[in-house]
Amino acid sequence: MTVHLLWIINQSGQLIAKSSFTAQNSIGELGAKPDLQLTMSSILFSTFGMSQELTPNANPVDSAGMTLLEFAEHNVHIYETPSLVKFVLVSDHHTYECNALFRQLHSLYVEYVVKNPFNIIDEGGIGQPIRIPAFTEAVKEAVDKYHSHTQQPAVKR
Amino acid sequence: MTLYSIYIFNRYGDNIFYKEWNRTTAPQEGEAGLVAGFIYTLQHFSSQLSSSGEGGFYAVRTPLYKLHYNETMTGYRVALLSDKDLKTDVVQNILRKMFSDVFQRYVTKDPNYSHTQGRVITSTAFGEALDQFFHSQKIL
């Protein structure tokens, strides 16, 4: 498994955290223009809602939001917490499942962000970015464990 | 294997064909436009992540269903909604074959069909041939 990018999107659709784990050119235009990630994460948030609306076999118990996007060069994994925070991972196109990593990232989010009394969730209704260095380090440590040794070494940013 | 519905769009974004099989939720108003916008957005997202800039969008998986996507170089796009366990590479091959065999024979070679903006496929032969094709591929 190679993880290129992590986004955390809050319940309003705002990008509150982003971390890159591989070289900038591994995610094309999104690597070359980091500001584009703000736009694309909002668009992904809307698209998630659309995938729920398009469900041809809806049932009241399960959410039908998209969990995996299969592209030619990457797979995009999406995990929505019960509090509607979304974790998005961009991986290589051979990786089809990363639930264990998502659960670990969710735990780190709870431990370092939710429990932090100084973390500001939003200001005037606008979600604030996560600026907790310990959280950033813990995330990188968690993702590095999942970078397989059988892959050629990823260039760390 | 279960198929729910199929949408075919031309290069103008018009929904030129729609068919449903086993869906349990009724289609909502304007759903074809929503599907068109949905697949366009994801195709664009894929091209932005791609090193070559060309992208390549294959499928969206959700806990309840899966949407498979394929497009021709002439701009015809297909979105096939199926149950979530249908294999992506199997369906990619089937959709490619659908365009080169069924679509080519019953739409492209149909003298009554003109490939202009807003033109819907009215021939019943294509719908029937599509059913037979999916049956022969054992996904319907």
Side-chain angles (χ1 to χ4, degrees):
Chain A
M1 180 197 291
T2 304
V3 179
H4 299 290
L5 183 67
L6 164 70
W7 286 341
I8 304 179
I9 301 171
N10 73 2
Q11 53 267 58
S12 308
Q14 288 150 337
L15 184 66
I16 57 174
K18 63 183 171 80
S19 293
S20 293
F21 306 103
T22 53
Q24 188 173 296
N25 58 7
S26 62
I27 49 169
E29 217 179 327
L30 288 195
K33 304 172 185 170
D35 283 352
L36 199 60
Q37 295 186 30
L38 287 168
T39 307
M40 289 315 296
S41 59
S42 295
I43 290 171
L44 189 68
F45 176 82
S46 305
T47 311
F48 186 92
M50 286 166 97
S51 68
Q52 288 169 311
E53 283 186 60
L54 296 175
T55 310
N57 59 336
N59 83 55
V61 179
D62 287 324
S63 162
M66 59 202 191
T67 55
L68 175 66
L69 308 178
E70 295 181 56
F71 296 155
E73 291 179 34
H74 307 88
N75 283 346
V76 181
H77 307 256
I78 300 153
Y79 171 82
E80 187 183 46
T81 71
S83 58
L84 305 185
V85 175
K86 289 172 187 61
F87 292 75
V88 179
L89 286 170
V90 178
S91 76
D92 63 287
H93 69 280
H94 302 292
T95 302
Y96 289 97
E97 193 266 325
C98 55
N99 292 331
L101 176 55
F102 272 137
R103 276 192 286 271
Q104 194 174 346
L105 293 173
H106 189 189
S107 296
L108 294 177
Y109 174 79
V110 172
E111 286 298 311
Y112 286 93
V113 180
V114 175
K115 293 186 179 180
N116 187 331
F118 299 103
N119 179 58
I120 301 165
I121 297 295
D122 67 65
E123 208 163 285
I126 299 167
Q128 295 301 299
I130 298 169
R131 296 191 178 100
I132 300 166
F135 175 66
T136 307
E137 283 307 309
V139 164
K140 285 201 193 296
E141 206 174 297
V143 169
D144 281 350
K145 280 179 196 163
Y146 285 87
H147 279 155
S148 170
H149 297 297
T150 59
Q151 302 254 341
Q152 67 182 36
V155 180
K156 303 293 192 301
R157 183 169 119 173
Chain B
M1 299 305 167
T2 308
L3 294 187
Y4 297 118
S5 52
I6 186 169
Y7 300 80
I8 301 180
F9 303 95
N10 63 12
R11 68 178 178 276
Y12 307 100
D14 304 315
N15 179 215
I16 61 176
F17 183 78
Y18 172 76
K19 199 178 211 303
E20 62 181 64
W21 295 280
N22 298 302
R23 69 181 297 165
T24 54
T25 305
Q28 53 184 306
E29 191 71 31
E31 188 173 274
L34 201 61
V35 173
F38 183 67
I39 59 179
Y40 174 80
T41 302
L42 293 177
Q43 169 65 26
H44 186 235
F45 187 31
S46 167
S47 68
Q48 284 177 313
L49 279 171
S50 169
S51 313
S52 61
E54 282 168 28
F57 164 44
Y58 299 144
V60 179
R61 197 178 199 272
T62 81
L64 294 179
Y65 72 97
K66 193 170 182 179
L67 184 147
H68 302 265
Y69 172 84
N70 200 281
E71 64 178 307
T72 68
M73 285 192 73
T74 48
Y76 287 95
R77 284 175 281 260
V78 61
L80 178 72
L81 279 78
S82 73
D83 75 276
K84 64 189 205 304
D85 299 313
L86 211 53
K87 289 258 197 288
T88 302
D89 47 355
V90 168
V91 178
Q92 286 297 304
N93 288 329
I94 289 170
L95 293 179
R96 237 185 322 265
K97 217 179 289 184
M98 181 207 80
F99 273 125
S100 64
D101 293 356
V102 186
F103 189 86
Q104 168 89 311
R105 183 180 300 172
Y106 291 96
V107 179
T108 306
K109 291 186 175 180
D110 183 354
N112 295 312
Y113 184 78
S114 56
H115 299 261
T116 52
Q117 189 164 9
R119 188 60 187 268
V120 173
I121 297 169
T122 51
S123 160
T124 55
F126 175 68
E128 285 158 16
L130 198 63
D131 277 2
Q132 281 169 36
F133 176 73
F134 284 150
H135 271 114
S136 73
Q137 301 295 314
K138 297 184 169 59
I139 58 169
L140 187 59

